[in-house]
Amino acid sequence: ECLWVTGVLCEACDLLGWKRPTKIQVEAIPVALEGRDVIGLAETGSGKTGAFALPILQSLLSHPQRLHTLVLTPTRELAFQIGEQFEALGSTIGVKTAVIVGGIDMMSQALVLAKKPHVVIATPGRLVDHLENTKGFNLRALKFLVMDEADRILNMDFESEVDKILKVIPRDRRTFLFSATMTKKVQKLQRAALKDPVKCAVSTKYATVDKLQQYYIFIPAKYKDCYLVSILNELAGNSFIVFCGTCNNAQRVALLLRNLGITAVPLHGQMSQSKRLGALNKFKSKSRSVLLATDVASRGLDIPHVDCVINFDIPTHSKDYIHRVGRTARAGRSGKSITFVTQYDVELFQRIEALIGKKLPAFPTQEEEVMMLVERVNEAQRFARIEMKEQGEKRKRPRGGEDDGDDAEQSSGVRKKVKGGRFRGGKGGGFRRGR
């Protein structure tokens, strides 16, 4: 199968368990190895990282050079994941990578950049910070630029950062642009950044995988928490990603579930970078069975064993539905998705059905059984509110210590205090650990 990829890289693929190339890899790799610019249109979970990493590593093998490649990506988690894949594929040939994202100390990043890695994987904002402020760092010798999830980079309003980066890297370079959708902004970027590119499209229509069983549940908004607990109990033993619309709700639901003894961990944009990676690792290692995520986690994250995706808050952009449910039923496995539809979500739900071109069946639930949970859930909601309030107060206090981002981790301690009838917090009350 690896007709064009050199032996040592084929061995690296083999070690990763990549037996045969995916569709986008079959389309893009030969074109890239011919020396052409590539536009790759491929849906989430299609093996895009391999499609650009292998040709780049092959180029590095024949012409070793420091600061050879820049990969731009919209979110921190995705940057770390791409970094891991480059490390894994390039481990046998000694490739050095650097992941440069926000939320991490600039000085330590500057030291890594001073060692001149071969591949830099970065979010646009933080890279511009270094280009403008880190002495001695430039990308004037760059050979390859990759923009992964380009539609998202531009949707997150990184346009001015991308412009700045394009101005300071060589015109004479190779560019790979990967995107799930071809938006007007992406077309404009393509005209500005690519030379006579070859388009490799794998699936242009919005499709969800056949092995994914998709359902919806129509429920009154006030009973959403009860239905969630009921489904998690009913499908216990599976791993879940539950998507929430806001950071606040992800944190609240994580606390609520913990109060009911369900192992849950939140992942959202207000958590520090180390907490986010910690949360992901706990979920990946299966020490937590439920990941409460905002859309920060809907794209690109390859978490191998997600059995079920629950859209607790319906996505406001229908395309986000595709990316969210794409977290399960990956690489030929089967999976389930359940979307909660309240009286306020009907129109959004109809748009999703129109986009994917199918009517979803209702997920069977026993209303009487769900209603039996109301009292327990109400009590857990009350504790979660107290804990959220405490966390808010803790954040307002001046502190010299380290960030307590994933406060849901400490919720069990608070719970004991609540159940014992005395809890920290209140105005001016409570105590802090000595710092």
Side-chain angles (χ1 to χ4, degrees), residues 255 258-259 383 387 411-420:
L255 290 168
R258 287 234 183 96
N259 279 321
F383 290 148
E387 287 161 43
S411 70
S412 53
V414 180
R415 193 157 66 242
K416 283 174 195 129
K417 290 187 179 85
V418 173
K419 289 197 167 155

Side-chain angles (χ1 to χ4, degrees), residues 239-300:
S239 62
F240 300 87
I241 294 190
V242 179
F243 281 106
C244 299
T246 62
C247 301
N248 212 30
N249 212 19
Q251 191 75 13
R252 180 192 71 82
V253 180
L255 290 168
L256 170 94
L257 295 178
R258 287 234 183 96
N259 279 321
L260 292 163
I262 295 168
T263 57
V265 63
L267 174 70
H268 55 71
Q270 283 175 2
M271 287 160 62
S272 71
Q273 193 55 46
S274 59
K275 300 281 183 196
R276 282 158 138 194
L277 290 175
L280 253 183
N281 289 334
K282 279 177 192 151
F283 185 70
K284 277 185 177 174
S285 68
K286 305 194 179 183
S287 69
R288 299 287 183 281
S289 59
V290 184
L291 181 69
L292 275 301
T294 54
D295 279 308
V296 126
S298 72
R299 282 218 195 178

Side-chain angles (χ1 to χ4, degrees), residues 80 86 96 110 129 134 164-165 167 169 228 257 276 289 293-294 330 348 371 435:
F80 280 104
F86 265 101
K96 296 279 178 281
D129 288 346
T134 299
K164 283 177 186 168
I165 293 163
K167 282 194 179 91
I169 60 175
L228 177 65
L257 295 178
R276 282 158 138 194
S289 59
T294 54
R330 288 169 87 81
L348 287 171
M371 289 304 125
R435 296 236 183 248

Side-chain angles (χ1 to χ4, degrees), residues 286-330:
K286 305 194 179 183
S287 69
R288 299 287 183 281
S289 59
V290 184
L291 181 69
L292 275 301
T294 54
D295 279 308
V296 126
S298 72
R299 282 218 195 178
L301 289 193
D302 188 19
I303 300 162
H305 64 275
V306 182
D307 303 309
C308 182
V309 167
I310 297 178
N311 288 309
F312 183 75
D313 295 324
I314 200 165
T316 42
H317 300 293
S318 318
K319 285 173 195 166
D320 283 337
Y321 175 83
I322 308 275
H323 295 293
R324 288 180 178 193
V325 300
R327 297 307 97 216
T328 181
R330 288 169 87 81

Side-chain angles (χ1 to χ4, degrees), residues 327-398:
R327 297 307 97 216
T328 181
R330 288 169 87 81
R333 287 186 293 270
S334 57
K336 258 193 197 67
S337 73
I338 302 170
T339 298
F340 284 18
V341 183
T342 71
Q343 62 270 41
Y344 310 112
D345 306 324
V346 176
E347 194 183 330
L348 287 171
F349 180 62
Q350 286 166 340
R351 269 188 229 161
I352 289 167
E353 286 192 322
L355 180 76
I356 59 175
K358 51 175 94 160
K359 285 252 178 263
L360 299 191
F363 185 78
T365 51
Q366 298 298 320
E367 199 180 331
E368 311 77 62
E369 285 175 25
V370 177
M371 289 304 125
M372 283 161 68
L373 294 166
V374 171
E375 268 179 52
R376 278 180 61 212
V377 170
N378 282 348
E379 191 186 8
Q381 285 170 334
R382 200 166 56 79
F383 290 148
R385 275 197 298 273
I386 291 168
E387 287 161 43
M388 289 286 284
K389 193 172 170 210
E390 281 197 350
Q391 287 170 18
E393 284 172 7
K394 199 161 30 166
R395 285 202 184 92
K396 281 178 201 157
R397 295 181 193 140

Side-chain angles (χ1 to χ4, degrees), residues 106 109-111 113-114 129-138:
M106 286 273 291
Q109 287 180 347
L111 293 172
L113 291 172
D129 288 346
H130 281 289
L131 286 167
E132 290 175 348
N133 303 309
T134 299
K135 276 205 172 84
F137 170 61
N138 68 64

